[in-house]
């Protein structure tokens, strides 16, 4: 069957073959396979199904029909409050499913660790584009709930110098924290800063070590962009925190 490259990958070369996608296997393949099987057994529809390895040793996953929001310009529904609310509920669902399981180990839950519009499948539901699933689970690992929640805030609210209406961003932070029923809202902004700092340092270190994908990301401006986002959140942390409980 013929292969077609899928757009929107920032690290891996992902192709579609019929009703499946193929991704390069990695050190995380075994964990991701177990996690996706676990989510399947529990009937959770927010992730692709893991179907095994193909003859070339690549991961085989189900192709999820819909719109993946990887481009900068997006239909307004992607950035709507309703969309943010639904993303948050999806996150809460898979966190609750994995809480207390072997997959989460000694941590609270399994975190996705790269929740962002570019890793979200949106589909038309009752005539409106809505988030229905997350892809790109290869960074998933045991972790703290607040880490994914903070990543959601950073990526889906777009916290950084592009923000035009800081009050609106602050309101959306509260919306996520409340919709998730996050226990420790005081820790949310420090967790966002932690992610942003960790992210640019991670790209920088991997690029220095010769990782081609990270060299590409750095050349495309990812390090300076994330540093600017970190600085912006730091500068505005008081205004943002005031919205939280
Ligand atoms: N299961 C899937 N269903 C539909 N499209 C997918 C699926 N997995 C990946 N894609 C498409 O392939 C692109 C790259 O996949 P992704 O897993 O995000 O790779 P990367 O690790 O490079 O970011 C996505 O932007 C999306 O368009
Ligand atoms: Mg991706």
């Amino acid at each position: 069957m013929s292969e077609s490259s899928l757009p929107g990958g920032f690290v891996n070369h992902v192709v579609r073959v019929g009703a499946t996608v193929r991704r390069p296997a990695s050190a995380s393949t075994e964990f991701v396979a177990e996690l996706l099987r676990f989510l399947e057994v529990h009937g959770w529809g927010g992730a692709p199904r893991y179907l095994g390895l193909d003859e070339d040793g690549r991961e085989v996953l189900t192709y999820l029909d819909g719109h993946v929001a990887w481009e900068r310009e997006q239909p307004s529904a992607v950035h709507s409050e309703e969309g943010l609310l639904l993303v948050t509920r999806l996150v809460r669902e898979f966190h609750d499913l994995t809480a207390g399981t072997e997959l989460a180990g000694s941590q609270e839950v399994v975190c996705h660790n790269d929740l962002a519009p570019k890793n979200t499948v949106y589909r038309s539901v009752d005539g409106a584009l809505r988030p229905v699933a997350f892809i790109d689970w290869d960074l998933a690992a045991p972790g703290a709930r607040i880490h994914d929640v903070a990543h959601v805030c950073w990526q889906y609210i777009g916290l950084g110098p592009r923000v035009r209406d800081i009050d609106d961003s602050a309101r959306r932070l509260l919306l996520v924290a409340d919709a998730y029923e996050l226990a420790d809202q005081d820790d949310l902004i420090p967790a966002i800063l932690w992610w942003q700092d960790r992210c640019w340092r991670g790209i920088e270190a991997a690029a220095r070590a010769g990782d081609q994908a990270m060299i590409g990301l750095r050349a495309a401006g990812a390090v300076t962009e994330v540093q600017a986002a970190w600085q912006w959140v730091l500068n505005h942390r008081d205004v943002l925190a005031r919205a939280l409980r």
Side-chain angles (χ1 to χ4, degrees):
M1 204 180 286
S2 70
E3 299 194 357
S4 52
S5 285
L6 288 165
F10 292 85
V11 177
N12 291 293
H13 181 228
V14 181
V15 298
R16 178 174 179 183
V17 182
T20 71
V21 300
R22 315 288 168 111
R23 293 175 51 100
S26 70
S28 68
T29 295
E30 210 173 305
F31 182 78
V32 174
E34 267 186 59
L35 173 64
L36 296 183
R37 280 203 206 96
F38 172 87
L39 296 174
E40 177 176 8
V41 166
H42 286 81
W44 192 64
R49 303 302 181 213
Y50 180 78
L51 303 174
L53 296 177
D54 71 4
E55 56 286 2
D56 298 319
R58 296 175 300 186
E59 295 174 7
V60 185
L61 307 162
T62 52
Y63 176 83
L64 301 179
D65 248 328
H67 169 77
V68 179
W70 59 272
E71 286 166 296
R72 198 179 288 284
E73 292 302 318
Q74 287 298 326
S76 59
V78 168
H79 299 300
S80 66
E81 289 194 6
E82 179 69 14
L84 189 59
L85 196 67
L86 294 172
V87 160
T88 307
R89 288 196 189 134
L90 281 171
V91 176
R92 178 79 205 212
E93 280 173 14
F94 82 79
H95 279 178
D96 285 353
L97 275 175
T98 58
T101 65
E102 257 178 50
L103 286 164
S106 59
Q107 299 287 320
E108 270 183 314
V109 294
V110 175
C111 284
H112 178 287
N113 286 325
D114 199 10
L115 294 168
K118 70 175 193 289
N119 288 328
T120 306
V121 179
Y122 292 79
R123 214 172 276 154
S124 185
V125 180
D126 298 331
L129 205 55
R130 296 296 181 227
V132 293
F134 302 118
I135 55 169
D136 205 352
W137 289 81
D138 60 339
L139 295 177
R145 290 173 182 271
I146 197 167
H147 287 166
D148 266 349
V149 177
H151 209 278
V152 163
C153 291
W154 171 22
Q155 291 289 319
Y156 292 83
I157 302 173
L159 298 176
R162 281 174 204 279
V163 165
R164 289 288 154 262
D165 182 349
I166 189 163
D167 294 328
D168 180 63
S169 298
R171 214 169 28 245
R172 283 165 186 252
L173 269 181
L174 178 64
L175 184 145
V176 172
D178 279 353
Y180 188 90
E181 296 182 36
L182 186 68
D184 30 19
Q185 295 199 1
D186 282 351
D187 297 335
L188 188 54
I189 290 170
I192 295 168
L193 288 164
W194 172 84
W195 260 127
Q196 293 172 324
D197 186 62
R198 190 174 197 268
C199 176
W200 76 257
R201 285 181 197 280
I203 298 169
E204 182 63 43
R208 287 215 182 132
D211 182 320
Q212 285 306 321
M214 295 303 135
I215 289 170
L217 274 183
R218 185 176 60 181
V223 169
T224 47
E225 198 176 310
V226 178
Q227 281 172 330
W230 175 84
Q231 190 64 58
W232 185 91
V233 173
L234 193 66
N235 292 347
H236 298 89
R237 62 186 304 168
D238 291 346
V239 181
L240 295 171
R242 236 174 274 143
L244 296 169
R245 295 174 208 284

